[in-house]
Each structure stands twice: as C-alpha cells, then as structure tokens.
Amino acid sequence: RRSIMASRARRWRPKEAKGAAQGPTQPAAQPADTKKMKKKKKKTKYKKKKEVSVVDKIEESKKLVSKEMKKPTVHRTGTLLAREITKSLENNSYSCAICTENVNRRDSVWSCPRCFVIFHLQCVRDWSLSSMPIFGDVSMKEMHEIESNHKWRCPGCQLWVTAVPEQYRCFCGKTSNPSPMAFLTPHACDNICGKERRFGCPHPCNQPCHPGACPPCEVLKEPVCCPCGKTSYRPRCGEDDSKPRLCKNVCGKMLECFNHKCTRTCHEGKCGPCDEKEPQPCFCGKESKALRPCGSGTFDKKDGKRKFSCGEVCNKVLPCGIHNCTKPCHAGDCPPCPRAPRAHSQTCACEQSISFKTEHRRKKCTDPIWTCEKTCRKRLPCGHICGKKCHDSPCGPCTVKVSRRCRCGMETIAYTCSGEEKDSKSHRKELKCERKCNARLSCGKHRCRERCCPASGLPKKVASLHILHKCTRVCGKDLKCGSHTCVYNCHSGPCPPCGRVLRDGVACACGYTTIPGPIRCGTQAPKCYRPCSRVRPCGHPCPLTCHTDPCPPCVVFVTKSCHGGHREFKKQICHLPPPSCGRRCGRALKCKMHMCSRTCHGGKCSEFKRIKRGNLPFLPLIALTLKEEKEMKGKDWVWSCGNLCEKKMKCGHKCTQPCHPTYECDTKLCKATVSVKCACGRLAKTSICNRSTIRPKCNEDCKKAERNRRLREALQIGKESTTQLPYPADLLEMIGKMSLNLLSFLEKMENTLEEFIMDDTSALVKWLPSMNAPKRWLVNCVAGPMGLEVESSSPSIKTRMGRSVKITKSIMSTRPVMKLSKAVQKFKADPLSVQTTPEDHLVRCHGLRYLTGPDIKVFLKKFESKSSVFMTGEGRAIIAFTKPEIAREAMSVLINKGLKASTVAVPSSISALVGVSSKARRRRKAKRQENWDDEDETMPVNWACNVCTLLNPMTKTACNACGAPPPVRDYGASSVPKRNVEKKDESRQFVHKRNTMNFESKAEPLRTKVYISTSNPWTRLRK
C-alpha cells in the first residue's frame, strides 16, 4: 500500500510541486506573476503551515487510494489524442491498422513519429520489407545495411521512414523492450518524455513517457502586438508565429487615398483601396463630376485635382486654331497639328518627294498638300501597303486579295482584306468552311457536329483527346442508388457510384432496423424479420416480412358483389376485380332515357356527350336525383348516351338515330326495308321506308296462279294445312318410340327449365338430381333450343348410373318456339301432315369420339344464335340451322376443325315444295333405316337391357344396373351378310372398336359412348 500511495502521489503531484521536484531541468516552466497565481501561492503556503495529525493523514491517504482506484489510469495532462490512445491501450481495445487485431500490453509495437498510430512491430516489419526489392546471395551484414537505408511509407500517414524497425522501444525511445507495469501506460517507461517540441521550442517535454503528440510548452514569450498595434499578447514558447493573433478592434490605419482610415477589424496585410466615392473630372472636360473610388486617377499639378480618362475623343482645339485633337481623352497638352506647314521645305502627301518651289509652299494647315506621281505606299492598319497614287486624303480600306486556309485547314479561302488582317495572327478573323465534323467525342457515343472544326483533321486517337471534342452533355443516367442521376459530363463506361451522403442513415420499410449515418447513398436497407406493417387498400395484412418492394396482391377469399350489384359471389380472391353475373346491367344511363343493355360490367356504361336542347320538353323516363336536377336546371343542353334511340316512329319502325332526348324522331331518316306487293300479293318489291315506291303490277303468272287457286277451291284440293315443327324428323321419331315414363319426364323437364329461365331472381346455375343416360340425353335435347349449357358430373360411388346434371343459363337463354313434347305428339299423330326442319337445314356429324355438345358449340361460336345441337349417341350429332346457306358454311367450318360433317344441298326449285320433298325424304329414310336394322340384327354387338335400356358388354350375362338377363338373339353364321372388310365405313369401324370397350372408360358423356341398337329405340339414328 505504501508503494502504491507513493507512486500515485508522484504521478498526481500538482504542477508547482512537480516543477520544484524537477529542479534545474524546468526553470522556465513557472508561469508569470499574476494576481491569480499570487492568490494560489498564498493558499498553498497557508495550507503548508496548517498542522495535521497522523490519524488524519492516514485517513486522507485511504480516501485518496480508494478514489484513485475507481478512476481510470489515464494521464490528464497530455493531449486529447494521447488520452484517447492511452484509454484504448489500457482497455485492450486498440487495434493494429495492418492486421486489425487488438494490441495487448505484452505485444511489441512501433509508433509513427508523425501520425502516432501504433502497429505491431512484426506487422510493420512485414509492411516495410514488402516494398524492398528482392536481392540474390547477400550476406547478413550487407542485408543489415540495406534494411537500415531502405525507405518505406507509413501505412497511416504515408510518411517516408528510413530503416526497417528492428527493436521494440517505448514511446519516448529511451527504453528498449519496456516491461509492462500495473500503474504505467502500456508500452511506456517510467522516465520523463524529454522530446523536443516544434517551432524551435528549447524546452523538452516534461510529461512522463506517453503515446501521441507532446502537449504545447507552457512558457510564455515576450509581448507581441497584433497587426493593428492596439493590443498586445504573450505567445507560448513553440507556438507558430506565421499567423499572428487578431484582435476585435477597428484597424484605423490611413488608406492609400490619405483621406480616410480603414474601417475593417484587425487584419493581416494591406488595408486595400478606399471604398469611398468622390467626384472627379476627366482630362478633356466632358465629365465633371463622375463618382469614382477615392484616391484613383492621376494627380494634376496645375489645379491640384485627381482626373481620369473617359475614353472618348479629346476634341480640344489644336494650336493651329482650326483642327481638333483626335486622340482619346489624355493627360497633358495636345500634340501639334499634323497638317502644320514646315518652314523651309514641303514634302508631298505620301512623304516620298520634297519640293522647294514657291507654289508648293503652304502657309496654313488648311492649304492642300501637293501630290507626286509615285505610289502612296503608306502602311495600312492591316499591314499591307496602299497601292493608290499619291493623294491628299485618307487611304481607305485595303483592297488586297488574300487567300488563307480555313480554321480546320481542309480548304483555302480567297477574300478581300478590307483592313481585317492584322500584324498579329491572334487578331485575325477565323475563316470557316462548310464541312461538318463527324468525329466521335470523348464519350464515344456522340459525334461532333461543329462546322469547320479545328480538330477534324487530326488522327482519330488524337482527335478524341482534343479539348474541342470533349463531350459537354450531362450524362443523366440513373445511378445504382435509384434516386439520383449522374451529374458528370457524358462519359464512357459505367457511371461512378452516387456521391451523396445520407446523414440520417438508412432504415428498413417499417423503421425498426436502421443503419446509422452518415453512409453513402445507395446502401441497401438492412434486413428486418418483423412482419410487414403496411396497410393495404383492402385492409388485409401483408403475409411477408418487412420489405421495400410493393406488397404482393391480396389472395384472401372474400365475398364480392358483381359490377351491377345484382348478386353476391363467395370465395372471390380479394385483389381481382368483381365478377360479372351475366345478367343485363340495367343501370340508368346519364341521358335518363335508356338503360344499359350490356351484360353486367365494370366501369362506365357508355360515353356521354352534351347536345343542344331541342324544342320538345325534357321528360326523363328515369327519375333524376337532386344533384342532377340542379345541374340540368336552366341549361341549354342535355346529355346523350350515344346509343340508338329505339323509339317507335309514326311509320312503325324503331328510330335508329343516336339518343336525342328533346328532339322528335325524324321518319325521313328511317332506313328500314319494306316489301311492296302487287294486288294479288304474289309479286313483291323491297325498298327503303318512306321512299316513293310504285306498287308492282300483276303479270300473266299472277293471273294463272289466281285461276289455279279458284280451281282448287272449286274442286276442294289442298285444304290440308301442314304444321311447322322446328325439330328434325329423325329426332322426333326417336323420342316418339320411347316409353311413357320417359315422355312424362320430358314434359316435366320442359316446365322446370322454362321456370328456371323466366325467373330473374334465381341463380345462374341449377343442379338437377342424378339420372340415367336416357334422361340425361332428353335434358340435352330440351336445353339445346333454349340456349342452356348442360354439364354432367362424374358418376357416384354406389352406382354408375347416377350422374348429376348442371344447367347454366345466360342472357341468350329463351323459351322455345314450340315445346319438344308437343312436337313429338303432333309427329306421332300424323307424320305426313307435319313439316319438320328441312334436310338442307341440317348438318350431320359422326365420328366425334369424346366431343360433347358444348365442344361443338365452341366451334360454332359464330352461329350461336342460329343453330341447335342435338347429340344422338355413338359419337354422332344433328345440328339444325335457320337457313341452308348457314348450314353449308357451318359444315365447312366443322370440316376445317377436323370433324366429319355432311349436309344435303337442295335446289331452290325443289325446296319450294317443302311438303312433297319432306315426305319423299322420310320414305327414303324409312327404307334405309329398315336395311340398317336388318344389318344390325345379324351383327354381334353389345346388348342393351330391355328394362333400363343400359348398354352392356357381350361378356356380361346380366345387366350392370338392374340385373335383368340379356335379350334372346340368334347370331348364326348364315345370317351374317358377306361384306368386303376393306371397304368398311370409318364410322362402322369406330363402332366395332367401341364394342370391345368397357363402360368404365374415362369418356365423359353417355352420348359419345353408347352403341346404337334396335333394342334401344331412343338412339336409333344413323348417318
């Protein structure tokens, strides 16, 4: 404890006692005698005289030891750098700048004499030796000399250091390999530093051995005055005298004008010119009171004033009294008149000849000067010689023809001098040719478009380095930071990194994780693993962690209403737009005269525009809101939706003009086609409505038809009227042979589907209970003409017969013209008295394999409203059209799609007799069907159940659905007709292939699976 107290007391001794202990080595360190120092000395003397007991000394020493043990052992008298280095060394937190490892107390170190950075001794040796050239076989002594003379740079301050460090020394350099001590700074010894201070200070450093720079000397020099001389101060010994201290007083020195004093604060150097203004006259007298800086101008001894030159022509009268001075405003007297006569001889105007004749003598300056016969040869301002004959007048402009190269040096241009050529080439006017430079600029991207460029004639490598070919455009590319653009001139290669500094640092998107500034702009935001805190427009939270990119679309299932608000849809993805329900929009348009007829949609219903109000009053069919009433009140315009008016005009047709609420429909603009018939109604002529048409006159054919009509009435011929049935005869015949249960099911299904279509409040989809194959086929036949889509679900697990049917309606779904059940009844009652769909209106398809009715409708999207599809099983279908032309066009479309389709082209003359042709076709069809039935009876095909009409494979001995036995048939070899196998029809080949297939195949609809047989009458249709 005594040794600790002694060392502590020695280190923390006051300055006065410390100086006294040092003795003669620090005589000048004592401060000047001031009042404060005297008071301190008195206090110290008073304290020394005070008597203290031994017990008090022991307690004070204990307190001093406890306080000093708590404080860090950093020397407080050193510089700030020394204190920081000492603190880092004691805490083992100082790191070597070469190896970036901590410098411990027992490591060998080396300190730079200028920047005072501490390195490991071995790291510095490796650093210095890395810049030494490699030598061959060198002895140790020679190598030692090379290392002692080798110069290398300090890694911290790039100071040139001579000799490679070899020995570990303390900071003051007095002790080698200093041993670490508990109460000393690491790597320091217990001696006084003693280093010489800067700026010629004779007093060495009196601090203990320490790192960093030595503190400034505390000895004061003799008093020195400031630059203005009003205050004095005593600088410290070793202080830099190159920059004196400045006081805050006004300078007050006399300025150069000797009229005013300097008003600046104390400063170095000259006071400068006077800033005051004073009136000064010019030499010629034109300016009398021009305000100029005080002390400027030239002092005139005649009147004792300062004057200046205004730059204008002097214009003072010369001694001759006639001419005026032509020199600019000048000091002193004006020169004599240049035309003054000489006393003895007279020279000519060009001054090349002398005459002593009396008639050539001049008495006044106004007398003319005689001329000789020589050339003038006076030197013009341009440098050329005047070529005129001797003359008593100005020489005028130069007329010499000069040829000189242009600025780029590619062409030679000849021109008249006109006094523009100067003696010095720097004053010559630059000549430019019409050549445009096309060399690349320094950036390598743009080209020079300067006319007559001086650098165009240089080589390419040299031309790009010329100062005129330096691209001066701003680069303007986006930098990697993404926030700023490149501000440098256009350059080649990538742009430099953004030079802006972010003082506030960078934070993640939520602001929880930050990188404190200052940092370079473009630094990536830190990664944050907290949940994203952004609030999306929908209100659902983002499922990602904190991120800077935009949040992904929301995929939460929500309930949405359609665009028009007709119904709600569940399990809709949040970010997707509202769905369309398929119904009519029905929203009121802005004209208040029409309703939107489009299917349920989003956005505006149509484009609106203002039209001028007409003569009719505005009577909206839809009530206006209060806002709309205020908007329309007192206006001379109304809104028009742009749709067709569709009001019924006087002619009976609908108006086809754009919406016009306050205008009457003009019948003259009606473009509807009307037919004008003759008196008997046989001949007809088409024309446009409200056009003057002449009724056609009856011809001889009309008279003959009228005579035949009367004859038929008299003989009672042709009273029978045929009923029009909008269904194919084959379809009606097939359904008519079904059982009563299926026919009653057909009537019920027609009523159910009609109610489903007419109910606007119901959903767009209707599910029917599970049913067998014949019933599903009847549903397809009924739903086709109504514009409904039919889909069958997969069979249930318990029975293969159970399939649910999904019915979907759309805006095109309507009630049929005639029910299928009524058409079947009329066809069964009298097939010959009804007229079915003509044969040329039908397209028959076969070999469809797995195609269904909706698939065929996709192919016939163009004819959706003009066709009805009836699937008849075994991969066949009948498609009914409204016109034979449409049927032929649709047949070509199906053939192009790769399907097998056919139709009957009936001539127009025969198609007029529809009743007769339909009967003949039915007879031929009946004979063909009988032949096919006979052929099918002899063929070994899959058998159909007589109870449930299900098709079963030949290997089955009982029906898969009801368990009934197969029908009894005789498949003898003699009954099989002989046919050429190679000439089989492709459809028959497909049927035989399907005979071997099991009913459990993946083909979806029954109408593409079932084989048609005579025992299954509802599918007896053949090609």
Side-chain angles (χ1 to χ4, degrees):
R1 181 179 293 179
R2 289 178 182 175
S3 62
I4 292 172
M5 289 176 61
S7 62
R8 290 278 183 175
R10 185 169 61 252
R11 286 192 64 190
W12 294 92
R13 189 177 300 145
K15 290 184 179 180
E16 293 81 2
K18 208 167 189 179
Q22 290 178 1
T25 58
Q26 198 177 5
Q30 296 178 2
D33 294 337
T34 57
K35 294 182 179 180
K36 293 182 180 181
M37 294 302 298
K38 289 180 180 179
K39 290 181 180 179
K40 287 183 180 180
K41 287 181 179 180
K42 290 179 181 179
K43 289 181 180 179
T44 53
K45 290 179 182 179
Y46 180 75
K47 287 180 180 178
K48 287 180 181 179
K49 291 181 180 180
K50 187 178 179 180
E51 294 181 359
V52 182
S53 62
V54 178
V55 178
D56 296 337
K57 288 182 180 180
I58 294 171
E59 289 180 358
E60 287 180 2
S61 63
K62 288 181 180 180
K63 292 180 181 179
L64 180 62
V65 170
S66 62
K67 287 182 181 180
E68 293 302 325
M69 289 298 290
K70 293 179 182 179
K71 292 182 181 181
T73 59
V74 180
H75 207 284
R76 300 296 177 183
T77 57
T79 59
L80 179 62
L81 178 62
R83 292 198 296 270
E84 291 179 355
I85 295 174
T86 303
K87 184 176 180 181
S88 300
L89 290 173
E90 290 184 351
N91 296 334
N92 290 333
S93 60
Y94 193 90
S95 59
C96 175
I98 298 176
C99 64
T100 67
E101 294 184 1
N102 291 339
V103 178
N104 298 325
R105 288 175 175 268
R106 298 184 180 275
D107 293 342
S108 300
V109 297
W110 177 85
S111 177
C112 178
R114 186 170 75 175
C115 63
F116 306 105
V117 179
I118 301 173
F119 308 94
H120 289 114
L121 181 63
Q122 188 61 37
C123 295
V124 171
R125 282 186 58 81
D126 296 341
W127 177 274
S128 59
L129 292 174
S130 62
S131 61
M132 183 185 296
I134 300 174
F135 298 96
D137 296 336
V138 181
S139 62
M140 293 295 294
K141 186 176 181 181
E142 293 176 351
M143 193 66 187
H144 181 72
E145 292 180 359
I146 292 171
E147 290 183 0
S148 60
N149 297 327
H150 174 61
K151 290 186 177 182
W152 53 279
R153 286 180 178 271
C154 170
C157 61
Q158 299 298 313
L159 172 68
W160 284 104
V161 182
T162 305
V164 178
E166 296 180 354
Q167 196 174 10
Y168 166 43
R169 288 187 171 274
C170 64
F171 297 115
C172 65
K174 296 179 181 178
T175 306
S176 60
N177 299 323
S179 58
M181 299 180 67
F183 298 100
L184 294 178
T185 303
H187 313 291
C189 63
D190 56 352
N191 298 324
I192 300 299
C193 178
K195 291 182 181 179
E196 294 183 359
R197 292 187 173 93
R198 297 184 300 170
F199 303 110
C201 178
H203 310 108
C205 178
N206 56 1
Q207 300 293 330
C209 183
H210 61 86
C214 295
C217 183
E218 298 179 354
V219 179
L220 300 179
K221 294 183 180 180
E222 295 296 328
V224 180
C225 293
C226 65
C228 68
K230 294 183 178 181
T231 57
S232 61
Y233 63 94
R234 298 185 67 182
R236 284 189 175 187
C237 180
E239 186 176 349
D240 187 8
D241 298 338
S242 60
K243 293 184 179 180
R245 298 182 187 179
L246 304 177
C247 66
K248 296 183 180 179
N249 299 326
V250 179
C251 178
K253 292 181 181 179
M254 187 64 67
L255 299 177
E256 295 176 357
C257 64
F258 296 101
N259 295 328
H260 306 93
K261 293 183 179 181
C262 180
T263 58
R264 296 164 57 190
T265 55
C266 183
H267 60 87
E268 293 184 70
K270 296 181 180 180
C271 294
C274 182
D275 296 334
E276 298 291 333
K277 301 289 183 180
E278 65 175 358
Q280 291 181 6
C282 65
F283 296 109
C284 64
K286 294 180 180 180
E287 293 286 344
S288 59
K289 293 183 179 180
L291 293 178
R292 291 176 53 80
C294 182
S296 62
T298 305
F299 185 76
D300 192 357
K301 296 180 179 180
K302 293 182 179 181
D303 53 3
K305 294 182 180 179
R306 289 185 175 272
K307 296 182 181 181
F308 70 101
S309 175
C310 63
E312 297 183 4
V313 179
C314 179
N315 208 19
K316 289 182 180 180
V317 180
L318 296 177
C320 65
I322 299 173
H323 298 99
N324 297 332
C325 180
T326 58
K327 293 178 64 177
C329 183
H330 59 88
D333 298 332
C334 295
C337 181
R339 295 180 62 87
R342 296 185 181 181
H344 301 286
S345 62
Q346 294 293 331
T347 58
C348 63
C350 65
E351 297 181 356
Q352 297 185 37
S353 301
I354 302 174
S355 176
F356 295 95
K357 296 180 180 181
T358 56
E359 61 269 16
H360 291 163
R361 288 188 179 182
R362 300 170 57 243
K363 297 180 180 180
K364 299 179 181 178
C365 60
T366 56
D367 294 340
I369 301 174
W370 69 281
T371 58
C372 65
E373 297 298 328
K374 297 180 181 180
T375 307
C376 180
R377 300 187 63 83
K378 287 183 180 179
R379 184 72 63 179
L380 298 177
C382 61
H384 297 128
I385 296 173
C386 179
K388 296 180 182 180
K389 192 177 179 180
C390 182
H391 56 88
D392 186 17
S393 61
C395 292
C398 182
T399 58
V400 178
K401 293 291 183 180
V402 182
S403 61
R404 187 158 50 91
R405 285 193 173 274
C406 62
R407 187 172 64 167
C408 66
M410 303 295 290
E411 293 183 7
T412 302
I413 301 174
Y415 64 98
T416 304
C417 177
S418 301
E420 296 179 357
E421 289 288 325
K422 302 291 183 182
D423 293 336
S424 178
K425 293 184 179 180
S426 60
H427 294 283
R428 287 184 179 182
K429 181 180 179 181
E430 290 185 344
L431 300 179
K432 294 183 180 180
C433 62
E434 297 300 327
R435 291 174 178 265
K436 284 190 177 181
C437 182
N438 197 31
R440 288 191 179 274
L441 300 180
S442 58
C443 62
K445 302 175 183 177
H446 305 104
R447 291 184 180 272
C448 178
R449 298 299 179 187
E450 183 70 19
R451 186 169 64 90
C452 192
C453 179
S456 60
L458 300 176
K460 290 184 178 180
K461 294 183 179 180
V462 181
S464 61
L465 301 176
H466 198 275
I467 188 171
L468 295 177
H469 282 173
K470 184 177 180 181
C471 188
T472 57
R473 302 182 187 182
V474 179
C475 179
K477 292 182 181 178
D478 293 334
L479 299 177
K480 292 183 179 180
C481 64
S483 303
H484 307 100
T485 56
C486 182
V487 296
Y488 295 99
N489 289 344
C490 188
H491 55 86
S492 59
C495 296
C498 184
R500 305 202 180 197
V501 178
L502 304 179
R503 301 293 179 185
D504 299 334
V506 178
C508 63
C510 65
Y512 181 79
T513 307
T514 59
I515 299 177
I519 58 174
R520 184 185 290 274
C521 180
T523 305
Q524 293 184 356
K527 289 186 178 181
C528 179
Y529 298 97
R530 293 170 62 86
C532 180
S533 60
R534 297 179 186 174
V535 179
R536 294 195 281 191
C538 60
H540 299 121
C542 179
L544 304 179
T545 56
C546 182
H547 58 95
T548 56
D549 300 333
C551 293
C554 184
V555 293
V556 179
F557 287 109
V558 296
T559 302
K560 290 185 178 181
S561 59
C562 62
H563 294 288
H566 306 122
R567 56 167 296 186
E568 290 185 349
F569 294 87
K570 295 183 178 180
K571 292 187 178 181
Q572 297 294 319
I573 298 177
C574 182
H575 78 276
L576 295 179
S580 174
C581 63
R583 299 182 184 177
R584 184 178 176 182
C585 177
R587 284 185 283 187
L589 300 180
K590 207 163 186 178
C591 64
K592 299 300 179 182
M593 304 295 292
H594 299 94
M595 306 286 285
C596 182
S597 59
R598 296 167 57 189
T599 55
C600 183
H601 63 91
K604 294 182 180 179
C605 292
S606 64
E607 295 293 334
F608 307 101
K609 64 178 181 179
R610 296 178 181 179
I611 61 172
K612 191 175 181 180
R613 190 185 291 269
N615 299 327
L616 299 179
F618 179 59
L619 301 175
L621 301 178
I622 304 166
L624 298 173
T625 60
L626 294 176
K627 185 178 180 180
E628 291 173 342
E629 286 181 359
K630 291 180 181 179
E631 183 183 5
M632 298 289 294
K633 189 175 182 180
K635 304 292 183 181
D636 58 345
W637 51 265
V638 290
W639 289 106
S640 172
C641 64
N643 296 336
L644 298 180
C645 177
E646 295 187 347
K647 289 182 182 178
K648 197 170 184 180
M649 298 187 291
K650 294 179 181 179
C651 62
H653 301 116
K654 290 184 178 180
C655 179
T656 58
Q657 298 299 315
C659 177
H660 48 87
T662 57
Y663 290 90
E664 188 176 358
C665 298
D666 191 0
T667 56
K668 296 181 181 180
L669 300 176
C670 182
K671 296 182 180 180
T673 56
V674 295
S675 61
V676 182
K677 296 183 179 181
C678 62
C680 66
R682 183 176 174 276
L683 299 178
K685 181 181 178 182
T686 60
S687 64
I688 299 175
C689 181
N690 291 326
R691 300 290 173 87
S692 59
T693 57
I694 301 173
R695 184 183 293 274
K697 296 181 180 180
C698 295
N699 55 9
E700 293 298 330
D701 295 337
C702 294
K703 295 177 181 180
K704 190 183 293 186
E706 182 65 20
R707 186 170 60 251
N708 293 339
R709 186 184 63 80
R710 292 176 183 176
L711 184 60
R712 283 196 301 270
E713 288 180 358
L715 298 177
Q716 296 183 357
I717 298 173
K719 286 187 177 181
E720 297 179 357
S721 61
T722 58
T723 305
Q724 298 285 343
L725 300 180
Y727 297 97
D730 299 332
L731 181 69
L732 299 176
E733 184 180 356
M734 291 164 56
I735 299 176
K737 294 182 181 180
M738 289 186 175
S739 62
L740 295 177
N741 293 332
L742 293 176
L743 293 176
S744 61
F745 171 78
L746 176 63
E747 294 180 2
K748 291 180 181 179
M749 188 53 56
E750 286 178 335
N751 297 332
T752 302
L753 296 182
E754 283 186 1
E755 292 178 359
F756 173 59
I757 291 173
M758 299 305 295
D759 189 6
D760 294 336
T761 60
S762 64
L764 299 178
V765 179
K766 184 177 181 64
W767 286 90
L768 300 178
S770 60
M771 57 187 71
N772 56 12
K775 291 183 179 181
R776 292 199 301 273
W777 182 76
L778 288 175
V779 171
N780 277 278
C781 294
V782 174
M786 293 184 180
L788 300 173
E789 293 185 4
V790 183
E791 296 181 15
S792 299
S793 64
S794 59
S796 60
I797 300 175
K798 296 181 180 180
T799 172
R800 278 182 267 178
M801 294 293 296
R803 280 197 183 185
S804 300
V805 180
K806 177 184 176 183
I807 307 294
T808 306
K809 66 179 179 179
S810 64
I811 194 171
M812 302 298 294
S813 302
T814 56
R815 297 170 60 185
V817 179
M818 179 182 290
K819 291 185 178 181
L820 182 59
S821 59
K822 291 184 179 181
V824 171
Q825 292 175 6
K826 291 183 180 182
F827 185 80
K828 288 175 65 177
D830 189 3
L832 301 178
S833 63
V834 296
Q835 181 179 349
T836 59
T837 304
E839 194 69 22
D840 59 344
H841 288 58
L842 301 177
V843 175
R844 301 177 184 275
C845 299
H846 64 278
L848 300 179
R849 294 181 179 270
Y850 302 111
L851 292 179
T852 60
D855 300 333
I856 299 176
K857 287 183 179 180
V858 172
F859 297 152
L860 301 175
K861 190 73 174 178
K862 180 180 178 181
F863 316 101
E864 185 176 2
S865 61
K866 302 176 183 179
S867 62
S868 298
V869 181
F870 303 99
M871 301 299 297
T872 57
E874 201 182 6
R876 297 176 180 175
I878 299 177
I879 309 170
F881 295 91
T882 57
K883 293 182 181 180
E885 296 83 3
I886 301 175
R888 289 193 290 272
E889 185 180 355
M891 181 190 68
S892 62
V893 172
L894 294 174
I895 291 174
N896 293 334
K897 297 292 183 181
L899 303 182
K900 299 176 182 179
S902 62
T903 184
V904 178
V906 182
S908 58
S909 60
I910 299 175
S911 62
L913 305 174
V914 178
V916 179
S917 61
S918 62
K919 291 179 182 178
R921 283 195 297 274
R922 281 197 291 275
R923 292 193 195 99
R924 291 195 297 270
K925 189 68 176 178
K927 290 181 180 180
R928 198 183 307 120
Q929 186 68 35
E930 290 176 2
N931 295 334
W932 284 349
D933 292 343
D934 294 340
E935 184 180 343
D936 290 336
E937 288 177 359
T938 60
M939 293 293 294
V941 296
N942 295 350
W943 60 274
C945 180
N946 292 331
V947 179
C948 62
T949 69
L950 177 67
L951 192 67
N952 296 280
M954 289 295 297
T955 57
K956 295 289 183 180
T957 58
C959 180
N960 289 334
C962 61
V968 179
R969 287 190 180 185
D970 185 11
Y971 297 107
S974 61
S975 62
V976 179
K978 295 180 180 180
R979 292 179 296 179
N980 189 3
V981 180
E982 296 179 357
K983 297 183 179 180
K984 287 182 180 180
D985 189 4
E986 294 180 1
S987 61
R988 298 295 299 174
Q989 292 180 13
F990 178 70
V991 170
H992 286 297
K993 290 179 182 179
R994 294 292 301 271
N995 290 340
T996 59
M997 296 176 63
N998 193 359
F999 189 76
E1000 298 178 358
S1001 60
K1002 294 183 179 180
E1004 180 184 349
L1006 180 63
R1007 51 182 175 268
T1008 61
K1009 294 179 181 179
V1010 178
Y1011 179 79
I1012 304 170
S1013 64
T1014 55
S1015 62
N1016 195 1
W1018 59 275
T1019 55
R1020 293 185 59 188
L1021 184 62
R1022 287 291 186 270
K1023 181 178 177 183

